[in-house]
Amino acid sequence: MREAKYHCPVEVTLEVISGKWKCVILWWLRQESKRFSELKQLIPGISQKILTQQLRELEIHGLIRREVYQEKPPRVEYSLTPLGESVRPITDLMCEWGKKRMPGYEFGYMKNVDTF
């Protein structure tokens, strides 16, 4: 990253974690590594193409690692790097902020609530 193009430190952060799905991916990887299919199930609104793209960008920026296991069939898992772990306070704050605006949120699922 060339620092000259930034006018504010927030711009650096946004370049790395912006987009509709990157923070969601980082959120799901906070506990343990996940396979592509697990992430796809956890994020039902994301297409396979976009998930692949977002994972690649997070890997390029050093926030996640992609580990390929030499098994048959091959197994690939994604996990947070130490740099990715450093983003955890941001996603935790985003989660807490969002919970306050979701009155039906309870223990990781939504009750039957149409608006928040």
Side-chain angles (χ1 to χ4, degrees), residues 16-25 46-61 64 78:
V16 176
I17 65 170
S18 69
K20 184 174 182 179
W21 303 110
K22 286 182 185 172
C23 284
V24 176
I25 293 167
I46 194 169
S47 71
Q48 184 168 331
K49 175 185 174 185
I50 297 298
L51 179 56
T52 300
Q53 178 186 5
Q54 299 284 275
L55 288 167
R56 283 184 184 148
E57 289 176 17
L58 288 166
E59 187 179 9
I60 287 168
H61 286 291
I64 66 169
Y78 297 91

Side-chain angles (χ1 to χ4, degrees), residues 7 9 12 27-28 30 51-52 59 63 72 96 100 110:
H7 304 284
V12 178
W27 171 254
W28 285 114
R30 76 194 187 287
L51 179 56
T52 300
E59 187 179 9
L63 296 176
K72 292 199 181 205
E96 291 307 314
K100 291 176 184 169
M110 283 293 295

Side-chain angles (χ1 to χ4, degrees), residues 51-111:
L51 179 56
T52 300
Q53 178 186 5
Q54 299 284 275
L55 288 167
R56 283 184 184 148
E57 289 176 17
L58 288 166
E59 187 179 9
I60 287 168
H61 286 291
L63 296 176
I64 66 169
R65 83 176 52 84
R66 178 181 186 269
E67 189 163 353
V68 180
Y69 293 89
Q70 299 303 316
E71 302 172 352
K72 292 199 181 205
R75 177 172 51 113
V76 178
E77 291 185 347
Y78 297 91
S79 59
L80 294 180
T81 63
L83 183 61
E85 286 285 346
S86 72
V87 179
R88 182 184 290 238
I90 296 169
T91 56
D92 287 346
L93 284 170
M94 291 172 77
C95 178
E96 291 307 314
W97 191 89
K99 281 183 195 177
K100 291 176 184 169
R101 281 137 192 92
M102 295 172 67
Y105 183 84
E106 186 177 313
F107 306 111
Y109 67 92
M110 283 293 295
K111 293 181 183 176

